PDB file of all heavy atoms in Angstrom:
ATOM      1  N   SER Y  45      17.647   3.232  31.688  1.00  0.00           N
ATOM      2  CA  SER Y  45      17.269   2.962  33.114  1.00  0.00           C
ATOM      3  C   SER Y  45      17.862   1.723  33.585  1.00  0.00           C
ATOM      4  O   SER Y  45      18.441   0.921  32.718  1.00  0.00           O
ATOM      5  CB  SER Y  45      15.836   2.967  33.217  1.00  0.00           C
ATOM      6  OG  SER Y  45      15.265   1.814  32.503  1.00  0.00           O
ATOM      7  N   ALA Y  46      17.781   1.454  34.864  1.00  0.00           N
ATOM      8  CA  ALA Y  46      18.289   0.185  35.442  1.00  0.00           C
ATOM      9  C   ALA Y  46      17.433  -0.986  34.845  1.00  0.00           C
ATOM     10  O   ALA Y  46      17.999  -2.004  34.466  1.00  0.00           O
ATOM     11  CB  ALA Y  46      18.230   0.259  36.928  1.00  0.00           C
ATOM     12  N   LEU Y  47      16.160  -0.750  34.700  1.00  0.00           N
ATOM     13  CA  LEU Y  47      15.324  -1.777  34.091  1.00  0.00           C
ATOM     14  C   LEU Y  47      15.673  -2.098  32.660  1.00  0.00           C
ATOM     15  O   LEU Y  47      15.753  -3.228  32.260  1.00  0.00           O
ATOM     16  CB  LEU Y  47      13.772  -1.359  34.199  1.00  0.00           C
ATOM     17  CG  LEU Y  47      12.886  -2.472  33.543  1.00  0.00           C
ATOM     18  CD1 LEU Y  47      12.880  -3.697  34.383  1.00  0.00           C
ATOM     19  CD2 LEU Y  47      11.400  -1.787  33.590  1.00  0.00           C
ATOM     20  N   SER Y  48      16.074  -0.992  31.867  1.00  0.00           N
ATOM     21  CA  SER Y  48      16.392  -1.370  30.509  1.00  0.00           C
ATOM     22  C   SER Y  48      17.694  -2.103  30.431  1.00  0.00           C
ATOM     23  O   SER Y  48      17.756  -3.101  29.651  1.00  0.00           O
ATOM     24  CB  SER Y  48      16.430   0.054  29.712  1.00  0.00           C
ATOM     25  OG  SER Y  48      17.614   0.673  30.105  1.00  0.00           O
ATOM     26  N   ARG Y  49      18.649  -1.839  31.329  1.00  0.00           N
ATOM     27  CA  ARG Y  49      19.914  -2.607  31.257  1.00  0.00           C
ATOM     28  C   ARG Y  49      19.653  -4.092  31.736  1.00  0.00           C
ATOM     29  O   ARG Y  49      20.232  -5.046  31.218  1.00  0.00           O
ATOM     30  CB  ARG Y  49      20.905  -1.852  32.144  1.00  0.00           C
ATOM     31  CG  ARG Y  49      21.376  -0.655  31.447  1.00  0.00           C
ATOM     32  CD  ARG Y  49      22.590   0.078  32.250  1.00  0.00           C
ATOM     33  NE  ARG Y  49      22.061   0.743  33.500  1.00  0.00           N
ATOM     34  CZ  ARG Y  49      21.527   1.993  33.424  1.00  0.00           C
ATOM     35  NH1 ARG Y  49      21.394   2.629  32.385  1.00  0.00           N
ATOM     36  NH2 ARG Y  49      21.022   2.508  34.531  1.00  0.00           N
ATOM     37  N   TYR Y  50      18.717  -4.186  32.608  1.00  0.00           N
ATOM     38  CA  TYR Y  50      18.375  -5.438  33.204  1.00  0.00           C
ATOM     39  C   TYR Y  50      17.737  -6.347  32.028  1.00  0.00           C
ATOM     40  O   TYR Y  50      18.112  -7.483  31.738  1.00  0.00           O
ATOM     41  CB  TYR Y  50      17.357  -5.351  34.263  1.00  0.00           C
ATOM     42  CG  TYR Y  50      16.831  -6.625  34.917  1.00  0.00           C
ATOM     43  CD1 TYR Y  50      17.650  -7.395  35.702  1.00  0.00           C
ATOM     44  CD2 TYR Y  50      15.510  -6.910  34.883  1.00  0.00           C
ATOM     45  CE1 TYR Y  50      17.136  -8.615  36.448  1.00  0.00           C
ATOM     46  CE2 TYR Y  50      14.998  -8.081  35.490  1.00  0.00           C
ATOM     47  CZ  TYR Y  50      15.804  -8.820  36.283  1.00  0.00           C
ATOM     48  OH  TYR Y  50      15.354  -9.880  36.914  1.00  0.00           O
ATOM     49  N   VAL Y  51      16.805  -5.887  31.312  1.00  0.00           N
ATOM     50  CA  VAL Y  51      16.159  -6.438  30.165  1.00  0.00           C
ATOM     51  C   VAL Y  51      17.152  -6.737  29.090  1.00  0.00           C
ATOM     52  O   VAL Y  51      17.267  -7.861  28.520  1.00  0.00           O
ATOM     53  CB  VAL Y  51      14.926  -5.636  29.640  1.00  0.00           C
ATOM     54  CG1 VAL Y  51      14.450  -6.138  28.323  1.00  0.00           C
ATOM     55  CG2 VAL Y  51      13.855  -5.596  30.639  1.00  0.00           C
ATOM     56  N   ALA Y  52      18.026  -5.862  28.865  1.00  0.00           N
ATOM     57  CA  ALA Y  52      19.028  -6.031  27.715  1.00  0.00           C
ATOM     58  C   ALA Y  52      19.918  -7.167  27.977  1.00  0.00           C
ATOM     59  O   ALA Y  52      20.434  -7.967  27.131  1.00  0.00           O
ATOM     60  CB  ALA Y  52      19.823  -4.741  27.512  1.00  0.00           C
ATOM     61  N   SER Y  53      20.236  -7.350  29.322  1.00  0.00           N
ATOM     62  CA  SER Y  53      21.098  -8.450  29.718  1.00  0.00           C
ATOM     63  C   SER Y  53      20.566  -9.845  29.261  1.00  0.00           C
ATOM     64  O   SER Y  53      21.357 -10.777  29.012  1.00  0.00           O
ATOM     65  CB  SER Y  53      21.517  -8.446  31.155  1.00  0.00           C
ATOM     66  OG  SER Y  53      20.381  -8.672  31.967  1.00  0.00           O
ATOM     67  N   TYR Y  54      19.266  -9.899  29.253  1.00  0.00           N
ATOM     68  CA  TYR Y  54      18.687 -11.284  28.819  1.00  0.00           C
ATOM     69  C   TYR Y  54      18.553 -11.224  27.353  1.00  0.00           C
ATOM     70  O   TYR Y  54      18.920 -12.200  26.688  1.00  0.00           O
ATOM     71  CB  TYR Y  54      17.293 -11.331  29.387  1.00  0.00           C
ATOM     72  CG  TYR Y  54      17.223 -11.623  30.939  1.00  0.00           C
ATOM     73  CD1 TYR Y  54      17.145 -10.582  31.873  1.00  0.00           C
ATOM     74  CD2 TYR Y  54      17.479 -12.974  31.353  1.00  0.00           C
ATOM     75  CE1 TYR Y  54      17.242 -10.829  33.159  1.00  0.00           C
ATOM     76  CE2 TYR Y  54      17.391 -13.097  32.857  1.00  0.00           C
ATOM     77  CZ  TYR Y  54      17.359 -12.066  33.664  1.00  0.00           C
ATOM     78  OH  TYR Y  54      17.391 -12.331  35.001  1.00  0.00           O
ATOM     79  N   ILE Y  55      17.956 -10.216  26.723  1.00  0.00           N
ATOM     80  CA  ILE Y  55      17.668 -10.285  25.287  1.00  0.00           C
ATOM     81  C   ILE Y  55      19.036 -10.440  24.495  1.00  0.00           C
ATOM     82  O   ILE Y  55      19.186 -11.160  23.576  1.00  0.00           O
ATOM     83  CB  ILE Y  55      16.976  -8.952  24.837  1.00  0.00           C
ATOM     84  CG1 ILE Y  55      15.535  -8.955  25.427  1.00  0.00           C
ATOM     85  CG2 ILE Y  55      16.815  -8.931  23.274  1.00  0.00           C
ATOM     86  CD1 ILE Y  55      14.602  -8.210  24.878  1.00  0.00           C
ATOM     87  N   ASN Y  56      20.046  -9.578  24.797  1.00  0.00           N
ATOM     88  CA  ASN Y  56      21.257  -9.712  24.052  1.00  0.00           C
ATOM     89  C   ASN Y  56      21.957 -11.015  24.204  1.00  0.00           C
ATOM     90  O   ASN Y  56      22.839 -11.318  23.428  1.00  0.00           O
ATOM     91  CB  ASN Y  56      22.199  -8.460  24.519  1.00  0.00           C
ATOM     92  CG  ASN Y  56      21.510  -7.117  24.049  1.00  0.00           C
ATOM     93  OD1 ASN Y  56      20.620  -7.103  23.231  1.00  0.00           O
ATOM     94  ND2 ASN Y  56      21.981  -6.053  24.662  1.00  0.00           N
ATOM     95  N   ALA Y  57      21.614 -11.688  25.376  1.00  0.00           N
ATOM     96  CA  ALA Y  57      22.302 -13.070  25.441  1.00  0.00           C
ATOM     97  C   ALA Y  57      21.499 -14.204  24.885  1.00  0.00           C
ATOM     98  O   ALA Y  57      21.837 -15.306  24.968  1.00  0.00           O
ATOM     99  CB  ALA Y  57      22.522 -13.252  26.991  1.00  0.00           C
ATOM    100  N   GLY Y  58      20.306 -13.805  24.369  1.00  0.00           N
ATOM    101  CA  GLY Y  58      19.455 -14.839  23.764  1.00  0.00           C
ATOM    102  C   GLY Y  58      18.619 -15.691  24.830  1.00  0.00           C
ATOM    103  O   GLY Y  58      18.087 -16.721  24.593  1.00  0.00           O
ATOM    104  N   LYS Y  59      18.629 -15.158  26.021  1.00  0.00           N
ATOM    105  CA  LYS Y  59      17.977 -15.902  27.196  1.00  0.00           C
ATOM    106  C   LYS Y  59      16.527 -15.250  27.333  1.00  0.00           C
ATOM    107  O   LYS Y  59      16.285 -14.052  26.927  1.00  0.00           O
ATOM    108  CB  LYS Y  59      18.672 -15.733  28.457  1.00  0.00           C
ATOM    109  CG  LYS Y  59      20.189 -15.950  28.532  1.00  0.00           C
ATOM    110  CD  LYS Y  59      20.444 -17.324  28.631  1.00  0.00           C
ATOM    111  CE  LYS Y  59      21.917 -17.698  28.774  1.00  0.00           C
ATOM    112  NZ  LYS Y  59      22.318 -18.995  28.302  1.00  0.00           N
ATOM    113  N   LEU Y  60      15.648 -15.967  28.024  1.00  0.00           N
ATOM    114  CA  LEU Y  60      14.277 -15.389  28.279  1.00  0.00           C
ATOM    115  C   LEU Y  60      14.372 -14.512  29.428  1.00  0.00           C
ATOM    116  O   LEU Y  60      15.058 -14.794  30.440  1.00  0.00           O
ATOM    117  CB  LEU Y  60      13.358 -16.558  28.661  1.00  0.00           C
ATOM    118  CG  LEU Y  60      13.150 -17.505  27.399  1.00  0.00           C
ATOM    119  CD1 LEU Y  60      12.107 -18.547  27.812  1.00  0.00           C
ATOM    120  CD2 LEU Y  60      12.552 -16.785  26.160  1.00  0.00           C
TER     121      LEU Y  60
END
Side-chain angles (χ1 to χ4, degrees):
S45 65
L47 179 63
S48 70
R49 287 184 286 279
Y50 179 68
V51 168
S53 71
Y54 289 94
I55 293 197
N56 293 344
K59 310 277 187 207
L60 295 181

